[in-house]
Amino acid sequence: MTQTESTAPAATAVTRAEYCVIACAEAWRDAGEILASPMGTVPSIGARLAKLTFSPDLLLTDGEALLIGDVPAVGAPSAVTEGWLPYRRHLTMVMGGRRHVMMGASQIDRFGNQNISCIGDWERPKRQLLGVRGAPVNTLNNPVSYWIPRHSTRVFVEKVDMISGVGFDSAAAAGPSATRYHDLRRVVSDLGVFDFSTPDHAMRIVSLHPGATVDQVREATGFALDAPDDIPFTREPSAEELRLIRDVVDPRGLRDREVRA
């Protein structure tokens, strides 16, 4: 396997968390005027970075019921309100496919089925989690990606204990009503980027974050991953992107709390 050499700016080392931010931001590249719904610190930084650079029409919220017109630092209040987005209007955007959500996952399998509900048998679980929440509607109606800050066999499993977010095999089994708008884009973890662009829609490696290896990813994954012969590294942030991440969007370094060095 050949991997592209890293070309990080010489002035300062790019951290693993910053590669994750770039990978998340790329999920919204050239997205147009759609709502970005990032769940987690790193995806939130990524969505803001995308809006400040290659996706200026991206819509962001204050996390509650307002569309914001500026790009404040993560955790800081917005100074510009563009519109009101109550729950019913938010759901209209979800049902109409005008949102790209990046959710988390307590478990995810090779076909993109996601679990955030419980660990163990549903009737008598070993651990109760969030519940399915909006995951089924998200995955059947608008583009969905996933962010996994700790890539491990506990998360990347052969079969999820309960399906919250619908994967490719489950959508196919349910028929056209489930597959019509089903659109799983990518999975970003602290080790790399993955998608489902294989003939059977099984997860494959798209890129590795510099410092990660294919063997490391395979050891941390509970199922066989498709791995092309030539896997690139996740792209380097530009000097301007690094400035925006470090000085504008996340000056408190919250990204490093979510992704270990």
Side-chain angles (χ1 to χ4, degrees), residues 66-81:
L66 297 177
L67 285 172
I68 60 176
D70 56 352
V71 185
V74 172
S78 169
V80 180
T81 299

Side-chain angles (χ1 to χ4, degrees), residues 87-122:
Y87 197 59
R88 62 181 181 274
R89 291 187 181 177
H90 197 131
L91 286 179
T92 299
M93 298 185 78
V94 171
M95 298 294 286
R98 299 299 300 164
R99 181 179 77 149
H100 183 166
V101 59
M102 183 170 282
M103 296 191 290
S106 300
Q107 292 179 328
I108 190 168
D109 66 24
R110 70 174 71 233
F111 296 111
N113 295 292
Q114 170 244 35
N115 176 24
I116 52 173
S117 182
C118 65
I119 301 299
D121 184 75
W122 183 82

Side-chain angles (χ1 to χ4, degrees), residues 6-8 14 18-23 25-26 29 49-50 53-54 193 207-210 232-239 241:
S6 177
T7 55
V14 181
E18 288 161 347
Y19 281 112
C20 292
V21 168
I22 288 294
E26 286 289 343
R29 177 174 284 276
L49 179 66
T53 53
F54 45 72
V193 180
S207 71
L208 299 174
H209 304 323
F233 283 126
T234 302
R235 77 165 179 87
E236 301 284 348
S238 67
E241 286 173 328

Side-chain angles (χ1 to χ4, degrees), residues 154-205:
R154 293 181 62 183
V155 180
F156 289 77
V157 298
E158 180 67 33
K159 184 178 180 181
V160 298
D161 291 340
M162 179 179 177
I163 296 174
S164 302
V166 180
F168 281 97
D169 59 338
S170 299
S177 62
T179 58
R180 186 177 182 185
Y181 301 113
H182 186 255
D183 185 8
L184 298 186
R185 297 283 177 89
R186 64 172 52 191
V187 177
V188 180
S189 81
D190 60 333
L191 296 182
V193 180
F194 311 85
D195 69 10
F196 303 91
S197 298
T198 56
D200 61 350
H201 296 296
M203 194 183 298
R204 68 164 187 166
I205 304 174

